[in-house]
Amino acid sequence: MALSNTEGSKGLLQSRELFEYVLETSVYPRETELLKEIRVITANHPQSLMSTSPDAGQLIALLQKLINAKNTIEIGVFTGYSLLLTALTIPQDGKITAIDMNKDTYEMGLPIIKKAGVEHKINFIQSQALSTLDELLKDDANRGSFDFAFVDADKVNYQKYHERLLQLVKVGGIIVYDNTLWLGTVAMPEEFVKEDLKPTRLYTIEFNKFLANDDRVQISQVPLGDGITICWRL
Ligand code: SAH
Ligand code: CA
């Protein structure tokens, strides 16, 4: 059965066998049925590779538990793997502000989110993320009100999202950025990189350098999935 969007890929690990080992041993046995279902329906989507890698997802859920995340924000929903993961992790009265300019892909996963009984936690906003973040910042009540943010949309805007999220996420809260190793291309000579990956490779290199010098956050870049960078708001 085509369960995994990661099939055929080895993530960033040295072999596909090692990646499969991590998934089969530590990730899939603990992944709930409904999250699996989102993976299955997403596998048929031509852009299924965009879905959050389950191994990275497992760490994201752990971080959310560790800080008791209740009010969260997600930029880049797609079919909802990371969204459902978060919705299942935060408490019954938790809230997720979920932003994506594409509603069709959100609606692919929505029946599964409903089946999981967590739709009430989600406020889906169909919009360009930048304008929604600016909208949120107009209300002082939103400043420092979020415990956790997951950013997984257009990489060209990560730095702009970061500036806004630093105002929205409370001190002690966490912001996670996805795809910060961009299929390993950040460390490849440019001539070896496929043409369509080149622009985002450059944005990602710039963003990684920027984060490394940003003393408003404590960071850790973790080679799970396609690379995630965890930022703890100081
Ligand atoms: N976290 C998702 C994957 C997100 S894929 C998962 O686990 O499945 C990236 C998503 O970002 C796409 O759905 C795309 O529509 C959205 N996106 C890209 N640029 C955006 C923008 N400027 N504003 C809002 N959403 C954007
Ligand atoms: Ca991603």
Side-chain angles (χ1 to χ4, degrees), residues 14-25:
Q14 55 177 285
S15 70
R16 184 178 155 184
E17 288 69 26
L18 190 53
F19 187 44
E20 285 301 322
Y21 172 82
V22 172
L23 293 176
E24 298 294 343
T25 308

Side-chain angles (χ1 to χ4, degrees), residues 38 42 47-53 74-85 99-103 105-106 125-132 150-158 161 178-179:
I38 293 224
T42 306
Q47 284 170 300
S48 63
L49 270 173
M50 296 209 304
S51 192
T52 300
S53 189
E74 173 161 312
I75 302 177
V77 170
F78 189 44
T79 57
Y81 187 88
S82 50
L83 182 62
L84 178 58
L85 178 84
I99 311 164
D100 203 300
M101 58 193 190
N102 185 342
K103 196 169 189 190
T105 45
Y106 169 64
I125 302 172
Q126 182 178 19
S127 168
Q128 289 288 336
L130 210 49
S131 55
T132 302
F150 181 53
V151 182
D152 191 11
D154 49 339
K155 318 307 168 200
V156 62
N157 279 319
Y158 270 24
Y161 297 149
D178 197 24
N179 306 98

